[in-house]
Amino acid sequence: MLAAEIETLSNEMVACVRIAFEEQNVWLENLLLKRREANELQFEGPSIEHAQRIVANLQGALLVARSLRSSEVFESTESVLVASYRANPPR
C-alpha cells in the first residue's frame, strides 16, 4: 500500500519501499524458477517478468479491494493467477 502513496514519502522511505519490492520480486522469481524446474508450475519466458507481473496484479487487486471494502476482488485475482501457472490445472 505504500507504493500508492510513494509521492508523499520521504526519500529514505521511498528507497526502503523500492528495496522491499525488489526483494519481493527476487524471492518470487526464485520460487517460480524452483517450482517450474520441479514441474509444479508452467510458464514461458523469464521468471523475473512473471514475478513482477504477479506482484503488480496483486498490488492492484489489493488497492481495488480496499477501495470497495471487499476481499472478493483480491481473492478472484489471486485464484486466476494461481490457476494460470499450474502445471496440471484441474479439469
Side-chain angles (χ1 to χ4, degrees):
M1 295 301 296
L2 287 175
E5 303 296 330
I6 201 83
E7 298 299 322
T8 66
L9 301 175
S10 68
N11 289 340
E12 183 180 344
M13 191 63 144
V14 168
C16 290
V17 170
R18 288 190 175 137
I19 290 169
F21 272 108
E22 289 170 6
E23 289 176 354
Q24 186 177 39
N25 284 331
V26 168
W27 171 82
L28 187 52
E29 174 190 20
N30 290 329
L31 179 67
L32 290 170
L33 274 172
K34 288 176 187 174
R35 296 297 177 237
R36 181 167 60 181
E37 290 169 359
N39 294 316
E40 295 173 7
L41 299 177
Q42 89 182 22
F43 57 91
E44 299 282 325
S47 58
I48 188 62
E49 291 175 8
H50 290 276
Q52 292 167 340
R53 185 181 96 183
I54 290 168
V55 169
N57 274 278
L58 292 175
Q59 286 292 318
L62 182 58
L63 285 172
V64 173
R66 285 196 171 182
S67 297
L68 297 174
R69 296 187 190 273
S70 171
S71 62
E72 291 176 18
V73 172
F74 184 84
E75 291 167 358
S76 174
T77 301
E78 182 265 340
S79 294
V80 169
L81 283 169
V82 169
S84 71
Y85 284 94
R86 283 199 179 118
N88 299 304
R91 297 176 191 225

